[in-house]
Amino acid sequence: DAGVIQSPRHEVTEMGQEVTLRCKPISGHNSLFWYRQTMMRGLELLIYFNNNVPIDDSGMPEDRFSAKMPNASFSTLKIQPSEPRDSAVYFCASRRRVATNEKLFFGSGTQLSVL
Amino acid sequence: AQKITQTQPGMFVQEKEAVTLDCTYDTSDPSYGLFWYKQPSSGEMIFLIYQGSYDQQNATEGRYSLNFQKARKSANLVISASQLGDSAMYFCAMRETSKTYGGSQGNLIFGKGTKLSVKP
């Protein structure tokens, strides 16, 4: 299995630009999560999809952030316009099913730097 | 209040020795799951071990074991015979069953992590 695939691995952009992060979950997994990791706040959930439907987006910081999952094998997280405080590592994770003991499989993350 | 507390920002251990990484949690849900993940300097998050709140025995996975003390709400990770490759950040996480099928669909709540450094 290829695992969760994220792209790009690194993104450097200027303030005000649009940024799009991409994720391909593991085939057969029906849940997808977007997390953000910073030194100050640790790992925070941004949004969660189940069967391609957004279930919980309460972690999305503001309207500048949006996420889509048009099909079971692809999701995007978009930031428009980007700001320096958005600089962080963004992780995508997938899960096979909804259960207490079901672990999350993480992608390698996207290191975002907004100058 | 923090749901997951990892009180050790950094730890050192000598190669081949055992080390315990602390994790305490806060929940009123009688059913929950506890996870440990490793994050090496390369950045990926690697699942290590899982403990269910109703599991009768402490979880073990190779050199990793979980010292689960339910009454104290602690789930410490024990790494035996440390290796240089164990140097990494370690995160404790919890999922509450009451939220697993609700709106949050069982989001994993993570602690702030412990940075483990293994000395040769």
Side-chain angles (χ1 to χ4, degrees):
Chain A
D1 202 326
V4 177
I5 300 173
Q6 289 186 248
S7 64
R9 191 78 169 88
H10 302 276
E11 177 80 32
V12 180
T13 190
E14 291 187 347
M15 183 174 63
Q17 296 298 306
E18 178 180 296
V19 175
T20 299
L21 312 182
R22 296 172 176 79
C23 176
K24 177 180 170 56
I26 293 173
S27 177
H29 284 198
N30 64 10
S31 302
L32 184 140
F33 299 77
W34 281 101
Y35 281 89
R36 179 171 67 176
Q37 185 179 33
T38 60
M39 288 292 293
M40 289 298 295
R41 301 173 70 92
L43 272 159
E44 303 174 282
L45 179 70
L46 299 177
I47 188 168
Y48 157 75
F49 293 86
N50 192 41
N51 293 322
N52 312 339
V53 176
I55 301 297
D56 182 1
D57 64 354
S58 58
M60 296 286 264
E62 48 201 270
D63 292 344
R64 297 184 298 106
F65 285 69
S66 62
K68 294 182 179 179
M69 192 164 186
N71 56 62
S73 59
F74 184 65
S75 176
T76 59
L77 177 68
K78 186 177 292 186
I79 308 172
Q80 166 63 22
S82 58
E83 297 181 2
R85 59 193 169 117
D86 301 330
S87 297
V89 179
Y90 291 80
F91 285 101
C92 176
S94 70
R95 182 180 66 186
R96 185 178 51 173
R97 61 191 178 99
V98 178
T100 303
N101 63 347
E102 201 67 27
K103 65 187 178 188
L104 295 186
F105 293 80
F106 284 81
S108 299
T110 295
Q111 174 78 60
L112 174 64
S113 298
V114 183
L115 306 177
Chain B
Q2 282 190 340
K3 288 274 191 179
I4 298 287
T5 303
Q6 295 181 255
T7 58
Q8 308 150 313
M11 291 264 305
F12 287 92
V13 64
Q14 201 69 37
E15 192 178 9
K16 299 182 184 177
E17 292 185 350
V19 62
T20 297
L21 306 182
D22 294 342
C23 172
T24 58
Y25 56 91
D26 181 27
T27 181
S28 57
D29 195 330
S31 177
Y32 49 89
L34 297 157
F35 301 75
W36 277 90
Y37 280 82
K38 172 185 178 181
Q39 186 178 40
S41 57
S42 52
E44 70 268 32
M45 295 286 287
I46 303 167
F47 167 77
L48 295 178
I49 196 167
Y50 168 81
Q51 178 84 44
S53 60
Y54 289 123
D55 292 345
Q56 292 298 310
Q57 295 187 333
N58 287 344
T60 61
E61 288 285 351
R63 294 187 299 110
Y64 304 109
S65 61
L66 211 149
N67 183 2
F68 181 47
Q69 298 187 44
K70 194 170 181 176
R72 295 185 177 184
K73 293 187 177 178
S74 74
N76 299 338
L77 177 70
V78 180
I79 305 174
S80 63
S82 298
Q83 301 172 356
L84 296 178
D86 294 333
S87 294
M89 284 289 291
Y90 288 81
F91 292 93
C92 180
M94 176 177 67
R95 177 182 291 132
E96 295 166 301
T97 298
S98 65
K99 294 183 171 65
T100 297
Y101 303 98
S104 73
Q105 293 284 301
N107 171 35
L108 272 185
I109 301 169
F110 285 85
K112 292 292 173 76
T114 295
K115 184 173 182 178
L116 177 67
S117 299
V118 180
K119 298 186 289 185

